[in-house]
Amino acid sequence: MNRSFCQILTLAAALALASSDAMAQGATTGTITGRVTDVQSQAPVPDAQIIIVGTQRGTRSGNDGTYRLGGIEPGMVRLRVLRLGYEARLDSVRVDAAGQATLDFALTPTVTRLDQVTISATGESERRRESGNSIASISVDSVPLVVITSVNDLLSSRASNVVVTQTNGATGTGSRIRIRGSNSISLSNEPLIIIDGLRSVSDPAGSSIDIGGQNPTRLDDLNPEDIENIEIIKGPAAAALYGTAAANGVVQITTKRGRSGATRWNAYADGGSVRDVFRYPDNVARSGTRPSGNPTIFCTLVDEVNGDCTPDADGLMKWNPLEDASPFVDGWREALGLSSAGGSDQVQFYLAGDYEREQGVMKNNGLRRASVRTNLTGQFNPRTDFAAKLAYSQVRSRLPQGDNNDLSVIANGVLGNAEDDPDQRGYLFYPVSALEQIYTSQDVDRFTSSLNGTWRPVTWLAFTGIGGVDYAGRNDFDLLQPDLIPAPDERNIGSRQSNPFHFWTYTANLNGTANWRLGDNIEAATSAGTQFNREVVKGTQAFGRGLASGTGSLGGTTSGFAVGELNQEIVTLGVFAQQKLAWRDRLFFTAAARGDDNSNFGQDLEFVIYPSASLSWVIGEENWFPHNNIFSSLRLRTAAGQSGQRPGFRNAVTFYNTIAVANAGRDVGGVELAPNVGNAELKPELSTEYEAGFDLGLFNGRASLELTGYHKTTQDALIQRQLPPSTGAGSRFENLGKVTNKGIEAAINATLLDGRNLSWDVTVNGSTNRNELVKLGVGVDTIFVGLGAIDGNFSQRFAEGHPIGGYWQRPILSWGDENSDGIIAPSEVQIGDDYAFLGSPLPKTELSFNTNLTVFRYVRLSALLDHRGGYTLYNAGEEFRCVQFLNCDAAFDKSQPLSKQAAIAAGYLGTSAGWMEDASFWKLREVAVTLNAPEDWAARLNTRRLSLTLAGRNLATWTDYTGFDPELNFNGTSNFSTAEFFTQPPVRYFTARVSIGW
């Protein structure tokens, strides 16, 4: 990493020295200046993109609407101005050598996004009208970042069919992301992350130390304050040029950049609370007498109807350790940030530094993150642009034990006693004071450096290149002091675990694009290039027991030693070609193909080709289109394409495990065939997608509707087939499966009010997705995953004709209180003989409402409301309490709902069906109010901008689900395994921010 980092810095220094030559050429070039304003209010429009047509060169308007473009070759220059929320403008101006031209723009407000700029897989920018694909964009300046604690929060509920599941409420842990459903049975279903053109470090495991189920994610190492915008490329039809990594979609993040002009400074300071607001259930028991005359506190309703117990008249007992002897603390959050942006015509800069701390609601849960970023952009001369970016982030987190874990505070509480006691206060195995001293932590140091440039040797030809490395150094630690856990548990002697890992992802892309014309109305662009990616993982794991008192390192351990090492390298080499045709800037056709070779492919497979094509017709700009006050614009679009996902590391090769072999009275090293045998014919999973839709502008640009239908098929899905015992090996991966996802996506943007003193915008996103496992493979038995259900079988399955990872149990056919005694006995419940599909763990529908209301320019109110429906969650924790531990109210109290009693009774008959519940919900994700000080108030403090924002997150949930929360998952970011099992519910944030600009 150090060598590559130094090489990039050396190259950046050389480029910086070369810029002196560019400055010397300034005498032969001219400058364009101007101002961008709102045509209605005449107010300045900040952050508008001013681009020289036919090039990648451009700048952005400042807060006063002014812009400056230097180093322009003499002649007629065409400029295009783009700003989200406004119609694009195109105009020309003549530039003289060593002269200055002026060109102002007045933009008309609109909510349509035809001319919004996106970044393609080739690294070039293109307008949305040019592509037939559906690409979602999130403009970060429209999001109140005070309520955002991670990039996952930024992605959640802001784009249709992008489902981000907040799997728990512990500080520093991650979320699960699904774009247009799940494609793979054996591989990851997480999207590809690209930051400023570099492929990001992918670390699906998140941590090498088990804390019960949760894990951090590397996506959250990135500071949301540094992000300018996010583009979500949803499927293979749009992601074909990204190759063997993009079948699950692409999240493309662009960080902020500087602009020419005076340096502008921005600072902020946050402070707020983090609270656990969930009301945990009581531990319940009931005293009574057995027929033998012995007293009991487990006199259940079923025992009562069976005559196995006579309850005492006032025998019901309740105690709630998590409420009455609470382990939770009042958490807090604070953050500070400072950034500056500015520069000359030749070089622009963005510098930023941020620091944040968060104390979770558990004493041993916290996070500290610091980050710095330097982004330099510039022009060596009128034909050469460059960008050099360097970022560092440091994350220090402490993670609590939880979920499916006997060291979990929540599990010890809700499975504890129905009576208080002086030693453990009702907690099951261990007192809270012991659990709080378990120290599990993770240290991450993340470096990202990149250098890219564009060279235009002639006006019609451009070459673009990017190279860089993303590095993450991760250290996982676990410390259990001796005598903390009571004997005879082997953990009583203490232990230490220390696992350092290193992740490198290298990116090198080079492509050329030739722009040419075929007559007066047809423009063409031909691109070709190559992409290289290398992913390297190296790590060691060390563990020891018998920790000497007063020590805290591996050197203090005396027994139970274990050590392991991981070395992994994956290389992808791709080449691509793309042809674009544009007719009158209204009809666009694109055809492309990418070919990949990957080190994880089987040795019999050398190259895979992914084709794609798209068509976009801005039919609303045709002269014959019926323009009126209702329909103001219309674009029709369609696209098709393929993308893939490589097999896992060593899935395609045969390897051996080491074993100890007795030889001449002593152990010597030997090898044996590994459980997974390689497959020389192994191919990538291949996803093919077709999509079609339209973008409709309404009411003179005050509203827009985007509608897309898609059908995605994943062939050659990897299945782990069990091999005959005679082979001497257990299994191998084969390309056997087939999975489909299909659905509809819609986005509505509307400006309901647009006055000088009052404006109101609303965005509605919605989608449906139907997932189906079409084929599992000939001779492959049903695959079981998930948490073990009450009958000993796993709760989830991969079964043909149903969603992958669906819930299966013997269904409850009927139940009723036949004798009207207020108790549902097992004899009053009928269950099926065969297992049946009971629901999917992923939502079939999602809907979100995002609104912004601005009053007198000084008050801005924003809110985000989210709905997900059509899915099921296994309430395994409550089942465990009620059936196995006899510790819930419905087991003893006949005033509880009969449906819950029926679920318990069915459990006695051997099914968990009563605990697989509809998890549909509505959530008020966030609300924020920003108060902007009048300009003269800010000026008195020698600032140009001053604001106060008050915000809250996770404010309310409406659901019929009876567990802790309908989004929780005991297995965190796992591929399919989904259930609620003593997982910490989401916490509530209230935060205030002061922002200053000068």
mmCIF file of all heavy atoms in Angstrom, residues 731-762:
data_model
loop_
_atom_site.group_PDB
_atom_site.id
_atom_site.type_symbol
_atom_site.label_atom_id
_atom_site.label_comp_id
_atom_site.label_asym_id
_atom_site.label_seq_id
_atom_site.Cartn_x
_atom_site.Cartn_y
_atom_site.Cartn_z
ATOM 1 N N SER A 731 -18.348 -31.582 -1.189
ATOM 2 C CA SER A 731 -19.198 -30.865 -2.124
ATOM 3 C C SER A 731 -18.352 -30.024 -3.061
ATOM 4 O O SER A 731 -17.150 -29.861 -2.867
ATOM 5 C CB SER A 731 -20.175 -29.967 -1.359
ATOM 6 O OG SER A 731 -19.449 -28.992 -0.605
ATOM 7 N N ARG A 732 -19.009 -29.459 -4.084
ATOM 8 C CA ARG A 732 -18.363 -28.482 -4.949
ATOM 9 C C ARG A 732 -19.437 -27.556 -5.522
ATOM 10 O O ARG A 732 -20.626 -27.919 -5.596
ATOM 11 C CB ARG A 732 -17.584 -29.158 -6.058
ATOM 12 C CG ARG A 732 -18.427 -29.705 -7.195
ATOM 13 C CD ARG A 732 -17.535 -30.150 -8.337
ATOM 14 N NE ARG A 732 -18.316 -30.557 -9.505
ATOM 15 C CZ ARG A 732 -17.775 -30.906 -10.664
ATOM 16 N NH1 ARG A 732 -16.459 -30.915 -10.804
ATOM 17 N NH2 ARG A 732 -18.526 -31.254 -11.681
ATOM 18 N N PHE A 733 -19.019 -26.370 -5.931
ATOM 19 C CA PHE A 733 -19.948 -25.419 -6.518
ATOM 20 C C PHE A 733 -20.121 -25.708 -8.000
ATOM 21 O O PHE A 733 -19.153 -25.988 -8.722
ATOM 22 C CB PHE A 733 -19.439 -23.983 -6.333
ATOM 23 C CG PHE A 733 -19.646 -23.460 -4.938
ATOM 24 C CD1 PHE A 733 -18.627 -23.512 -4.009
ATOM 25 C CD2 PHE A 733 -20.871 -22.924 -4.563
ATOM 26 C CE1 PHE A 733 -18.804 -23.033 -2.729
ATOM 27 C CE2 PHE A 733 -21.064 -22.445 -3.278
ATOM 28 C CZ PHE A 733 -20.032 -22.498 -2.348
ATOM 29 N N GLU A 734 -21.390 -25.613 -8.451
ATOM 30 C CA GLU A 734 -21.708 -25.805 -9.859
ATOM 31 C C GLU A 734 -22.700 -24.727 -10.288
ATOM 32 O O GLU A 734 -23.482 -24.226 -9.486
ATOM 33 C CB GLU A 734 -22.298 -27.200 -10.103
ATOM 34 C CG GLU A 734 -21.351 -28.336 -9.760
ATOM 35 C CD GLU A 734 -21.956 -29.703 -10.037
ATOM 36 O OE1 GLU A 734 -23.033 -29.754 -10.663
ATOM 37 O OE2 GLU A 734 -21.353 -30.716 -9.623
ATOM 38 N N ASN A 735 -22.679 -24.370 -11.586
ATOM 39 C CA ASN A 735 -23.597 -23.376 -12.147
ATOM 40 C C ASN A 735 -24.906 -24.053 -12.517
ATOM 41 O O ASN A 735 -25.078 -24.531 -13.641
ATOM 42 C CB ASN A 735 -22.974 -22.702 -13.372
ATOM 43 C CG ASN A 735 -21.714 -21.931 -13.042
ATOM 44 O OD1 ASN A 735 -20.598 -22.382 -13.293
ATOM 45 N ND2 ASN A 735 -21.897 -20.754 -12.480
ATOM 46 N N LEU A 736 -25.842 -24.115 -11.573
ATOM 47 C CA LEU A 736 -27.054 -24.902 -11.753
ATOM 48 C C LEU A 736 -28.343 -24.093 -11.669
ATOM 49 O O LEU A 736 -29.338 -24.442 -12.292
ATOM 50 C CB LEU A 736 -27.112 -26.018 -10.697
ATOM 51 C CG LEU A 736 -25.966 -27.021 -10.674
ATOM 52 C CD1 LEU A 736 -26.123 -27.948 -9.469
ATOM 53 C CD2 LEU A 736 -25.929 -27.828 -11.962
ATOM 54 N N GLY A 737 -28.366 -23.029 -10.883
ATOM 55 C CA GLY A 737 -29.620 -22.390 -10.512
ATOM 56 C C GLY A 737 -30.089 -21.303 -11.463
ATOM 57 O O GLY A 737 -29.357 -20.815 -12.325
ATOM 58 N N LYS A 738 -31.337 -20.908 -11.259
ATOM 59 C CA LYS A 738 -31.951 -19.827 -12.025
ATOM 60 C C LYS A 738 -32.885 -19.058 -11.115
ATOM 61 O O LYS A 738 -33.739 -19.638 -10.440
ATOM 62 C CB LYS A 738 -32.708 -20.380 -13.238
ATOM 63 C CG LYS A 738 -33.376 -19.313 -14.088
ATOM 64 C CD LYS A 738 -34.095 -19.946 -15.281
ATOM 65 C CE LYS A 738 -34.788 -18.911 -16.147
ATOM 66 N NZ LYS A 738 -35.488 -19.530 -17.298
ATOM 67 N N VAL A 739 -32.727 -17.733 -11.089
ATOM 68 C CA VAL A 739 -33.508 -16.859 -10.218
ATOM 69 C C VAL A 739 -34.056 -15.708 -11.050
ATOM 70 O O VAL A 739 -33.354 -15.182 -11.927
ATOM 71 C CB VAL A 739 -32.653 -16.299 -9.060
ATOM 72 C CG1 VAL A 739 -33.468 -15.348 -8.176
ATOM 73 C CG2 VAL A 739 -32.071 -17.429 -8.230
ATOM 74 N N THR A 740 -35.294 -15.297 -10.790
ATOM 75 C CA THR A 740 -35.858 -14.138 -11.473
ATOM 76 C C THR A 740 -36.307 -13.086 -10.468
ATOM 77 O O THR A 740 -36.711 -13.400 -9.344
ATOM 78 C CB THR A 740 -37.064 -14.512 -12.363
ATOM 79 O OG1 THR A 740 -38.101 -15.066 -11.543
ATOM 80 C CG2 THR A 740 -36.659 -15.506 -13.433
ATOM 81 N N ASN A 741 -36.216 -11.836 -10.885
ATOM 82 C CA ASN A 741 -36.785 -10.694 -10.168
ATOM 83 C C ASN A 741 -37.486 -9.819 -11.197
ATOM 84 O O ASN A 741 -36.905 -9.501 -12.239
ATOM 85 C CB ASN A 741 -35.691 -9.872 -9.471
ATOM 86 C CG ASN A 741 -35.114 -10.549 -8.254
ATOM 87 O OD1 ASN A 741 -35.650 -10.477 -7.166
ATOM 88 N ND2 ASN A 741 -33.990 -11.250 -8.454
ATOM 89 N N LYS A 742 -38.695 -9.440 -10.906
ATOM 90 C CA LYS A 742 -39.414 -8.555 -11.814
ATOM 91 C C LYS A 742 -40.314 -7.632 -11.009
ATOM 92 O O LYS A 742 -40.782 -7.990 -9.923
ATOM 93 C CB LYS A 742 -40.221 -9.345 -12.839
ATOM 94 C CG LYS A 742 -41.169 -10.380 -12.261
ATOM 95 C CD LYS A 742 -41.773 -11.226 -13.371
ATOM 96 C CE LYS A 742 -42.635 -12.353 -12.823
ATOM 97 N NZ LYS A 742 -43.181 -13.213 -13.890
ATOM 98 N N GLY A 743 -40.519 -6.434 -11.554
ATOM 99 C CA GLY A 743 -41.317 -5.483 -10.811
ATOM 100 C C GLY A 743 -41.494 -4.176 -11.544
ATOM 101 O O GLY A 743 -41.136 -4.021 -12.719
ATOM 102 N N ILE A 744 -42.049 -3.216 -10.825
ATOM 103 C CA ILE A 744 -42.351 -1.884 -11.341
ATOM 104 C C ILE A 744 -41.808 -0.856 -10.366
ATOM 105 O O ILE A 744 -41.907 -1.036 -9.145
ATOM 106 C CB ILE A 744 -43.869 -1.694 -11.536
ATOM 107 C CG1 ILE A 744 -44.405 -2.696 -12.561
ATOM 108 C CG2 ILE A 744 -44.193 -0.271 -11.970
ATOM 109 C CD1 ILE A 744 -45.918 -2.678 -12.697
ATOM 110 N N GLU A 745 -41.251 0.235 -10.900
ATOM 111 C CA GLU A 745 -40.744 1.339 -10.090
ATOM 112 C C GLU A 745 -41.390 2.635 -10.547
ATOM 113 O O GLU A 745 -41.605 2.840 -11.749
ATOM 114 C CB GLU A 745 -39.233 1.459 -10.229
ATOM 115 C CG GLU A 745 -38.466 0.232 -9.788
ATOM 116 C CD GLU A 745 -37.028 0.234 -10.243
ATOM 117 O OE1 GLU A 745 -36.642 1.116 -11.038
ATOM 118 O OE2 GLU A 745 -36.285 -0.673 -9.799
ATOM 119 N N ALA A 746 -41.682 3.504 -9.591
ATOM 120 C CA ALA A 746 -42.279 4.795 -9.918
ATOM 121 C C ALA A 746 -41.681 5.867 -9.032
ATOM 122 O O ALA A 746 -41.356 5.621 -7.863
ATOM 123 C CB ALA A 746 -43.797 4.751 -9.747
ATOM 124 N N ALA A 747 -41.520 7.060 -9.607
ATOM 125 C CA ALA A 747 -41.046 8.214 -8.844
ATOM 126 C C ALA A 747 -41.851 9.431 -9.279
ATOM 127 O O ALA A 747 -41.972 9.709 -10.482
ATOM 128 C CB ALA A 747 -39.559 8.446 -9.064
ATOM 129 N N ILE A 748 -42.402 10.132 -8.316
ATOM 130 C CA ILE A 748 -43.168 11.356 -8.582
ATOM 131 C C ILE A 748 -42.489 12.513 -7.869
ATOM 132 O O ILE A 748 -42.212 12.437 -6.668
ATOM 133 C CB ILE A 748 -44.623 11.217 -8.085
ATOM 134 C CG1 ILE A 748 -45.331 10.076 -8.813
ATOM 135 C CG2 ILE A 748 -45.384 12.523 -8.283
ATOM 136 C CD1 ILE A 748 -46.717 9.781 -8.271
ATOM 137 N N ASN A 749 -42.189 13.559 -8.611
ATOM 138 C CA ASN A 749 -41.650 14.785 -8.043
ATOM 139 C C ASN A 749 -42.609 15.917 -8.367
ATOM 140 O O ASN A 749 -43.054 16.055 -9.520
ATOM 141 C CB ASN A 749 -40.271 15.105 -8.628
ATOM 142 C CG ASN A 749 -39.240 14.062 -8.284
ATOM 143 O OD1 ASN A 749 -38.668 14.081 -7.210
ATOM 144 N ND2 ASN A 749 -38.990 13.139 -9.206
ATOM 145 N N ALA A 750 -42.935 16.722 -7.377
ATOM 146 C CA ALA A 750 -43.909 17.791 -7.600
ATOM 147 C C ALA A 750 -43.558 19.010 -6.774
ATOM 148 O O ALA A 750 -43.129 18.896 -5.623
ATOM 149 C CB ALA A 750 -45.317 17.315 -7.251
ATOM 150 N N THR A 751 -43.727 20.179 -7.393
ATOM 151 C CA THR A 751 -43.646 21.454 -6.688
ATOM 152 C C THR A 751 -45.077 21.919 -6.463
ATOM 153 O O THR A 751 -45.740 22.394 -7.397
ATOM 154 C CB THR A 751 -42.856 22.490 -7.508
ATOM 155 O OG1 THR A 751 -41.532 22.004 -7.717
ATOM 156 C CG2 THR A 751 -42.797 23.815 -6.787
ATOM 157 N N LEU A 752 -45.562 21.754 -5.253
ATOM 158 C CA LEU A 752 -46.949 22.094 -4.953
ATOM 159 C C LEU A 752 -47.135 23.598 -4.781
ATOM 160 O O LEU A 752 -48.173 24.143 -5.138
ATOM 161 C CB LEU A 752 -47.405 21.358 -3.690
ATOM 162 C CG LEU A 752 -47.281 19.823 -3.752
ATOM 163 C CD1 LEU A 752 -47.802 19.206 -2.457
ATOM 164 C CD2 LEU A 752 -48.036 19.264 -4.949
ATOM 165 N N LEU A 753 -46.115 24.251 -4.228
ATOM 166 C CA LEU A 753 -46.147 25.701 -4.065
ATOM 167 C C LEU A 753 -44.797 26.251 -4.470
ATOM 168 O O LEU A 753 -43.759 25.658 -4.175
ATOM 169 C CB LEU A 753 -46.448 26.085 -2.609
ATOM 170 C CG LEU A 753 -47.808 25.667 -2.035
ATOM 171 C CD1 LEU A 753 -47.861 25.956 -0.532
ATOM 172 C CD2 LEU A 753 -48.947 26.384 -2.755
ATOM 173 N N ASP A 754 -44.810 27.389 -5.154
ATOM 174 C CA ASP A 754 -43.549 27.975 -5.607
ATOM 175 C C ASP A 754 -43.653 29.497 -5.589
ATOM 176 O O ASP A 754 -43.531 30.163 -6.614
ATOM 177 C CB ASP A 754 -43.214 27.480 -7.017
ATOM 178 C CG ASP A 754 -41.815 27.895 -7.444
ATOM 179 O OD1 ASP A 754 -40.985 28.163 -6.554
ATOM 180 O OD2 ASP A 754 -41.563 27.952 -8.659
ATOM 181 N N GLY A 755 -43.894 30.031 -4.401
ATOM 182 C CA GLY A 755 -43.974 31.467 -4.253
ATOM 183 C C GLY A 755 -42.685 32.041 -3.692
ATOM 184 O O GLY A 755 -41.782 31.312 -3.281
ATOM 185 N N ARG A 756 -42.591 33.352 -3.684
ATOM 186 C CA ARG A 756 -41.394 33.992 -3.165
ATOM 187 C C ARG A 756 -41.221 33.736 -1.683
ATOM 188 O O ARG A 756 -40.095 33.600 -1.187
ATOM 189 C CB ARG A 756 -41.462 35.494 -3.429
ATOM 190 C CG ARG A 756 -40.205 36.249 -3.005
ATOM 191 C CD ARG A 756 -40.264 37.706 -3.392
ATOM 192 N NE ARG A 756 -39.061 38.397 -3.010
ATOM 193 C CZ ARG A 756 -37.945 38.434 -3.735
ATOM 194 N NH1 ARG A 756 -37.913 37.808 -4.893
ATOM 195 N NH2 ARG A 756 -36.870 39.100 -3.328
ATOM 196 N N ASN A 757 -42.348 33.617 -0.968
ATOM 197 C CA ASN A 757 -42.288 33.442 0.479
ATOM 198 C C ASN A 757 -42.683 32.049 0.945
ATOM 199 O O ASN A 757 -42.581 31.747 2.135
ATOM 200 C CB ASN A 757 -43.183 34.464 1.174
ATOM 201 C CG ASN A 757 -42.731 35.885 0.932
ATOM 202 O OD1 ASN A 757 -41.532 36.159 0.889
ATOM 203 N ND2 ASN A 757 -43.681 36.791 0.731
ATOM 204 N N LEU A 758 -43.138 31.204 0.022
ATOM 205 C CA LEU A 758 -43.572 29.867 0.419
ATOM 206 C C LEU A 758 -43.349 28.903 -0.734
ATOM 207 O O LEU A 758 -43.832 29.134 -1.848
ATOM 208 C CB LEU A 758 -45.059 29.883 0.816
ATOM 209 C CG LEU A 758 -45.626 28.570 1.377
ATOM 210 C CD1 LEU A 758 -44.948 28.217 2.694
ATOM 211 C CD2 LEU A 758 -47.142 28.691 1.567
ATOM 212 N N SER A 759 -42.612 27.831 -0.477
ATOM 213 C CA SER A 759 -42.419 26.788 -1.481
ATOM 214 C C SER A 759 -42.554 25.428 -0.816
ATOM 215 O O SER A 759 -42.200 25.252 0.350
ATOM 216 C CB SER A 759 -41.046 26.917 -2.149
ATOM 217 O OG SER A 759 -40.007 26.744 -1.210
ATOM 218 N N TRP A 760 -43.076 24.478 -1.595
ATOM 219 C CA TRP A 760 -43.342 23.149 -1.036
ATOM 220 C C TRP A 760 -43.103 22.111 -2.125
ATOM 221 O O TRP A 760 -43.757 22.127 -3.160
ATOM 222 C CB TRP A 760 -44.781 23.082 -0.520
ATOM 223 C CG TRP A 760 -45.125 21.785 0.174
ATOM 224 C CD1 TRP A 760 -44.269 20.841 0.643
ATOM 225 C CD2 TRP A 760 -46.448 21.318 0.472
ATOM 226 N NE1 TRP A 760 -44.948 19.803 1.224
ATOM 227 C CE2 TRP A 760 -46.293 20.065 1.141
ATOM 228 C CE3 TRP A 760 -47.718 21.819 0.256
ATOM 229 C CZ2 TRP A 760 -47.383 19.329 1.568
ATOM 230 C CZ3 TRP A 760 -48.817 21.088 0.688
ATOM 231 C CH2 TRP A 760 -48.645 19.853 1.348
ATOM 232 N N ASP A 761 -42.141 21.231 -1.888
ATOM 233 C CA ASP A 761 -41.805 20.155 -2.819
ATOM 234 C C ASP A 761 -42.115 18.806 -2.175
ATOM 235 O O ASP A 761 -41.906 18.615 -0.972
ATOM 236 C CB ASP A 761 -40.324 20.196 -3.189
ATOM 237 C CG ASP A 761 -39.937 21.489 -3.870
ATOM 238 O OD1 ASP A 761 -40.771 22.028 -4.610
ATOM 239 O OD2 ASP A 761 -38.807 21.967 -3.642
ATOM 240 N N VAL A 762 -42.557 17.873 -2.995
ATOM 241 C CA VAL A 762 -42.858 16.517 -2.526
ATOM 242 C C VAL A 762 -42.272 15.510 -3.508
ATOM 243 O O VAL A 762 -42.372 15.688 -4.723
ATOM 244 C CB VAL A 762 -44.386 16.294 -2.402
ATOM 245 C CG1 VAL A 762 -44.685 14.836 -2.071
ATOM 246 C CG2 VAL A 762 -44.987 17.197 -1.335
#
